[in-house]
Amino acid sequence: MTTEALTVRDLGQRARAAARVLRSLPTARKAAALHAIARELRAHEAVILAANARDVEAAQAAGLPAHMVARLRLDAASLAAIADDVEAVSGLPDPVGERTPEQTLPSGIRVRQMRVPLGVLGVIYESRPNVTVDVAALALMSGNAVILRGGKETVNSNAALENAIRSALASQDLPEDAVQVIRDPARERMLELLRLDDLVDAIIPRGGAGLHRYCVENATVPVIVGGIGVVHIYLDESFTRDPADVERAVQLIRNAKVQKPSACNALDTLLIHAGALSALPAIARALITGGVTLRADPPALAALQAAGVEAQPATDADYGTEFLALTASVRTVGGLEEALDFIAAHGNHTDVILTRDPAQAERFVQDVDSAAVMVNASPRFNDGGQLGLGAEVAISTQKLHARGPMGLRELTTTKWVVVGDGHVRA
Amino acid sequence: MTTEALTVRDLGQRARAAARVLRSLPTARKAAALHAIARELRAHEAVILAANARDVEAAQAAGLPAHMVARLRLDAASLAAIADDVEAVSGLPDPVGERTPEQTLPSGIRVRQMRVPLGVLGVIYESRPNVTVDVAALALMSGNAVILRGGKETVNSNAALENAIRSALASQDLPEDAVQVIRDPARERMLELLRLDDLVDAIIPRGGAGLHRYCVENATVPVIVGGIGVVHIYLDESFTRDPADVERAVQLIRNAKVQKPSACNALDTLLIHAGALSALPAIARALITGGVTLRADPPALAALQAAGVEAQPATDADYGTEFLALTASVRTVGGLEEALDFIAAHGNHTDVILTRDPAQAERFVQDVDSAAVMVNASPRFNDGGQLGLGAEVAISTQKLHARGPMGLRELTTTKWVVVGDGHVRA
């Protein structure tokens, strides 16, 4: 049956019923479901690509920018890669059922905590059909039902993907309502999902700052805010004494900014020790070769101009700003403490120190209050795959529940289990 | 300096600055701060009790119900007990600084997660001056700054308590702004706190369902909802075969309902196996002796009437209802699965099975999705002290972040720490 005629509340109720089945499934059945999904995606290839072609055509007719059309487009190779990713998720360790050691307390009761799925997830994202499948796979493998609300440009693709996923679930005698797509792209439907707090356990937005803000402002369901934030690298003078270190700094900062400028873990602001400014021209040249525009404060600008390297003067608006593009700001600081004050005012996502002084590194790790704090490593490592989680559903930059990349474990919660023999509280 | 002339945003900014100091404090300094607070509370006894007397007088003049005046009133003994509790918190294990084992990943980076304070907490509660001190102690011991917003009936008491706490902090060279009370009781100030999401990391409401709903509806800061929910006990036939078990059931159900009927972990609905109805009159008599009014469905009512025990007929509104008073509902079920379906529809807080069948117990623990699931134990054990946490700031009934009693550990989060040697992402 399709979900087209159902209200969002109907979807929520069906998801909750499905979640009750999912939460007790053994790992092997969840893994089998993911393999079935991969098979169905391959089997439905023609239908999915035809639906996607309709979305691409409509997007082009509507004048969607080329990079957004590119994100939206599927072909046989990308669909096959999506199916492979689903199979990879099936092999990840299952956190559900983990138990803390049982303790017998002075009252005589035996207590432990047991890891269980969150229940029903609402995931809101942009026009990326691969996310539909990724999120469905991660939700199922962690024992959760999921309601998906993708961008309006992907309605046909998502409907085709949902059909493939649901027929896979049915083939495994699992509730099809474990994965449901909100097919009506109207914003009111999204708002209904955000306010379904008696049925949905968490909202995970994936997208830009505007989407996150909309969710935070409007949701009564708890929201996990993520992926928004400014990334700093502080380059200390101690990391520029050895020419080999300067070269490391050049490569690392280039990697941080140029590898994927649209990523949330890409560099925004380079904080440079005044005593390290001699290394700046080499760093700037590597960035500029990668297409980066630099906006520098007066001391940094002077150092660049003296070396004949082009940069723009920075304004206040260039600090504390997430660029998500080939732009970076540079700020000169007198030392570590000034860098830490700057990061305390502007950071929360990923912050890096490049230093050869272990005491500085320790102070940086202790003081910086961000989702990921790094010493002599590229901020691009703040990613579920890179940090060993196997996969990620989002990168949380808030502090409650999960911080940093969210894998299967971050899609679970715990419950207390208490066993007595007629024990009463004194 | 007092905080009277400051806006809520000012308090937030000061709290954030204080949090930066608190997050790196060694355990011993936090414990010393708590001892200093206990000393200052004792030293300020006369001032605090005089301020409290003004609140009590105003509350009585305003016609506040006697039980609310009682909650509000402090005397020398209760203030001394509050000071003792602060000292007890100073001895709890400090979760801050705990680290997961470091892993070296295939890329060569070394990664671990480190436990850190949440940062700035906003706690909103009713007219209980003891909460002002309890929460301040738990926040400080877990390295957090806290902004407190108590009930309007306690403004004088809270100002006096705040003064004592802040002078203790100053005496220890710690930032006084670690603990701040919103002195203006206007609801607009609470709303400002709920929307201070750039400065406050979590809102913890303590109070009735109305307060929680107000926070969920209005906050942009993440809210931890807690303490709201229906408590069920399912009495299986297997637990009524042996007269000693019937007596255990009687004592346990009486404990669950009568010990503290206003508590969130008090029994609301007894689900009774049809084959266990013969035990109901004894249970009902014990409850009625404790002052409880019973509302029973037809089979249960018939069993009670046949035994000459008084009860009222239940209506639909008596199920899924948190009574917080000396009222309980009784519902007859055909067996475990019917009980589980009922709990799936109405439960989320604490649910208990009384059974002698281990397979039933296992099924109940697996299927029931509540903050605490219990076998043959009183639901009154769902409490931070009873579950071994030492103290609690609230009982969470949501799934994100913390579920069940929240102690020091639940007031912390983690950050990722990555160490490389110039590593870049491939």
Side-chain angles (χ1 to χ4, degrees):
Chain A
M1 95 150 275
T2 85
T3 53
E4 246 156 322
L6 301 172
T7 66
V8 173
R9 171 156 288 276
D10 290 335
L11 302 190
Q13 275 157 345
R14 286 163 184 243
R16 186 140 292 282
R20 194 171 161 201
V21 177
L22 295 174
R23 68 178 177 243
S24 297
L25 285 184
T27 305
R29 283 203 66 199
K30 294 187 280 195
L34 266 54
H35 282 281
I37 289 171
R39 279 196 302 275
E40 290 292 317
L41 289 173
R42 293 179 188 119
H44 285 64
E45 183 194 284
V47 178
I48 293 167
L49 295 184
N52 183 253
R54 289 200 297 282
D55 285 334
V56 168
E57 205 176 314
Q60 285 169 330
L64 210 67
H67 74 277
M68 289 182 70
V69 175
R71 287 198 322 211
L72 164 57
R73 192 191 304 272
L74 292 176
D75 58 25
S78 61
L79 185 62
I82 290 171
D84 291 348
D85 285 346
V86 172
E87 285 176 340
V89 170
S90 77
L92 293 177
D94 184 355
V96 173
E98 284 175 13
R99 291 160 184 227
T100 56
E102 188 175 86
Q103 284 184 280
T104 301
L105 295 180
S107 62
I109 57 172
R110 291 177 287 140
V111 308
R112 59 175 195 257
Q113 284 175 286
M114 185 175 153
R115 192 156 285 283
V116 297
L118 283 172
V120 177
L121 311 176
V123 182
I124 300 174
Y125 53 103
E126 295 168 327
S127 294
R128 297 173 183 260
N130 61 310
V131 173
T132 306
V133 183
D134 281 357
V135 168
L138 288 163
L140 289 170
M141 196 63 201
S142 52
N144 291 290
V146 65
I147 300 173
L148 297 159
R149 198 279 189 183
K152 63 180 186 301
E153 297 81 5
T154 43
V155 274
N156 293 303
S157 311
N158 284 347
L161 293 167
E162 184 193 24
N163 282 338
I165 293 169
R166 289 169 67 100
S167 78
L169 290 166
S171 77
Q172 301 291 306
D173 285 324
L174 291 174
E176 294 182 42
D177 295 327
V179 178
Q180 299 176 96
V181 172
I182 297 180
R183 296 198 177 185
D184 176 355
R187 207 165 175 88
E188 292 70 39
R189 299 295 89 70
M190 175 163 75
L191 192 58
E192 286 165 26
L193 177 63
L194 291 175
R195 300 187 64 85
L196 217 54
D197 53 84
D198 56 332
L199 296 170
V200 177
D201 296 295
I203 294 287
I204 304 175
R206 287 182 48 150
L211 172 63
H212 284 261
R213 196 67 214 162
Y214 185 83
C215 291
V216 164
E217 291 282 350
N218 291 287
T220 57
V221 181
V223 176
I224 295 183
V225 178
I228 313 294
V230 180
V231 174
H232 300 90
I233 296 179
Y234 168 59
L235 174 61
D236 187 61
E237 184 273 331
S238 64
F239 207 82
T240 59
R241 287 177 206 152
D242 178 341
D245 275 348
V246 173
E247 181 55 23
R248 280 188 192 100
V250 167
Q251 295 306 327
L252 191 152
I253 292 167
R254 186 185 154 92
N255 180 258
K257 184 71 221 177
V258 176
Q259 189 178 40
K260 193 175 176 190
S262 64
C264 64
N265 57 16
L267 173 67
D268 296 298
T269 300
L270 174 65
L271 299 171
I272 188 163
H273 189 288
L277 282 172
S278 61
L280 187 57
I283 294 164
R285 282 191 200 99
L287 291 173
I288 290 166
T289 310
V292 177
T293 300
L294 286 176
R295 300 190 185 156
D297 69 347
L301 203 57
L304 291 171
Q305 285 170 340
V309 180
E310 213 173 317
Q312 301 173 356
T315 67
D316 280 354
D318 292 317
Y319 302 111
T321 292
E322 187 178 14
F323 292 109
L324 299 171
L326 284 168
T327 306
S329 55
V330 183
R331 172 91 159 204
T332 312
V333 293
L336 176 63
E337 291 303 318
E338 194 180 333
L340 290 173
D341 290 345
F342 193 90
I343 291 170
H346 301 296
N348 75 324
H349 192 291
T350 309
D351 295 295
V352 176
I353 185 171
L354 303 182
T355 185
R356 286 295 170 201
D357 178 345
Q360 280 194 342
E362 182 55 34
R363 167 97 180 111
F364 191 87
V365 165
Q366 180 61 46
D367 186 67
V368 172
D369 186 31
S370 297
V373 188
M374 305 193 177
V375 179
N376 301 343
S378 170
R380 294 275 300 133
F381 285 114
N382 189 2
D383 168 276
Q386 297 296 321
L387 292 179
L389 303 191
E392 72 180 27
V393 68
I395 295 187
S396 164
T397 46
Q398 66 174 33
K399 295 188 184 168
L400 288 190
H401 187 67
R403 201 167 180 213
M406 297 178 62
L408 293 181
R409 191 182 181 79
E410 287 70 31
L411 297 179
T412 63
T413 182
T414 55
K415 63 183 178 192
W416 285 88
V417 178
V418 176
V419 178
D421 184 26
H423 285 74
V424 300
R425 180 165 164 186
Chain B
M1 95 149 274
T2 87
T3 53
E4 245 155 321
L6 301 171
T7 67
V8 173
R9 171 156 287 276
D10 291 334
L11 301 191
Q13 276 158 344
R14 286 164 183 242
R16 186 140 292 283
R20 194 172 160 201
V21 176
L22 295 174
R23 69 177 177 246
S24 297
L25 286 185
T27 305
R29 283 202 66 198
K30 294 186 280 194
L34 266 55
H35 281 281
I37 290 172
R39 278 196 304 275
E40 291 291 317
L41 289 173
R42 293 180 188 119
H44 285 64
E45 184 194 284
V47 177
I48 294 168
L49 295 185
N52 182 252
R54 289 199 298 280
D55 285 335
V56 168
E57 204 176 314
Q60 284 169 330
L64 210 69
H67 74 276
M68 288 181 72
V69 175
R71 285 196 325 208
L72 164 56
R73 192 191 304 272
L74 292 176
D75 57 24
S78 62
L79 185 62
I82 289 172
D84 291 348
D85 284 348
V86 173
E87 285 176 340
V89 170
S90 77
L92 294 176
D94 183 355
V96 173
E98 283 176 13
R99 291 159 184 228
T100 57
E102 187 176 85
Q103 282 184 281
T104 300
L105 296 179
S107 61
I109 57 172
R110 293 177 287 139
V111 309
R112 59 175 195 256
Q113 285 176 282
M114 185 175 152
R115 192 156 287 282
V116 296
L118 283 172
V120 178
L121 311 176
V123 182
I124 300 174
Y125 53 104
E126 295 167 326
S127 294
R128 297 172 183 260
N130 61 311
V131 173
T132 306
V133 182
D134 280 357
V135 168
L138 288 162
L140 288 171
M141 197 62 201
S142 53
N144 291 288
V146 65
I147 301 173
L148 297 159
R149 198 280 190 184
K152 63 178 185 301
E153 297 82 4
T154 43
V155 274
N156 292 303
S157 311
N158 285 346
L161 293 167
E162 184 194 24
N163 281 338
I165 293 169
R166 289 170 67 98
S167 76
L169 290 166
S171 77
Q172 301 290 305
D173 284 324
L174 291 174
E176 295 182 41
D177 295 329
V179 178
Q180 298 175 96
V181 172
I182 298 181
R183 296 197 177 185
D184 176 356
R187 209 168 174 87
E188 291 71 39
R189 299 296 89 71
M190 174 162 77
L191 191 58
E192 285 165 27
L193 177 64
L194 291 174
R195 300 186 66 83
L196 216 55
D197 54 83
D198 56 333
L199 297 170
V200 177
D201 296 295
I203 295 287
I204 305 175
R206 286 181 48 151
L211 172 64
H212 284 262
R213 195 67 214 162
Y214 184 83
C215 291
V216 164
E217 291 282 349
N218 291 286
T220 56
V221 181
V223 177
I224 296 183
V225 178
I228 313 292
V230 180
V231 174
H232 300 90
I233 296 178
Y234 168 59
L235 174 61
D236 187 62
E237 185 273 332
S238 63
F239 207 82
T240 59
R241 287 177 205 151
D242 178 341
D245 276 348
V246 173
E247 181 54 22
R248 280 189 192 99
V250 167
Q251 294 307 326
L252 190 153
I253 293 166
R254 185 183 155 93
N255 181 259
K257 185 69 222 178
V258 176
Q259 188 178 40
K260 192 175 176 190
S262 64
C264 64
N265 57 17
L267 173 67
D268 295 299
T269 300
L270 173 66
L271 300 171
I272 188 163
H273 189 287
L277 283 173
S278 61
L280 186 57
I283 294 164
R285 281 191 200 100
L287 290 173
I288 290 166
T289 309
V292 177
T293 300
L294 286 174
R295 300 190 185 156
D297 70 345
L301 203 57
L304 290 171
Q305 285 170 340
V309 180
E310 214 173 315
Q312 301 172 354
T315 67
D316 280 353
D318 292 317
Y319 301 111
T321 291
E322 187 178 14
F323 292 108
L324 299 170
L326 284 168
T327 307
S329 56
V330 183
R331 172 91 160 206
T332 311
V333 293
L336 176 63
E337 291 303 319
E338 195 180 332
L340 291 173
D341 289 345
F342 192 90
I343 291 170
H346 300 296
N348 75 324
H349 191 292
T350 309
D351 295 297
V352 176
I353 185 171
L354 303 182
T355 184
R356 286 295 170 200
D357 178 344
Q360 279 195 342
E362 182 55 34
R363 167 98 180 109
F364 190 87
V365 165
Q366 181 61 46
D367 185 67
V368 172
D369 186 29
S370 298
V373 188
M374 304 192 178
V375 179
N376 301 343
S378 170
R380 294 275 299 133
F381 285 113
N382 189 3
D383 167 276
Q386 298 296 321
L387 292 179
L389 303 191
E392 73 180 29
V393 67
I395 295 185
S396 164
T397 46
Q398 66 174 33
K399 294 188 185 168
L400 289 190
H401 186 68
R403 201 167 181 215
M406 296 178 64
L408 292 181
R409 193 182 180 80
E410 287 69 31
L411 297 179
T412 64
T413 182
T414 55
K415 64 183 177 192
W416 285 88
V417 177
V418 176
V419 178
D421 185 26
H423 285 74
V424 299
R425 180 164 165 187

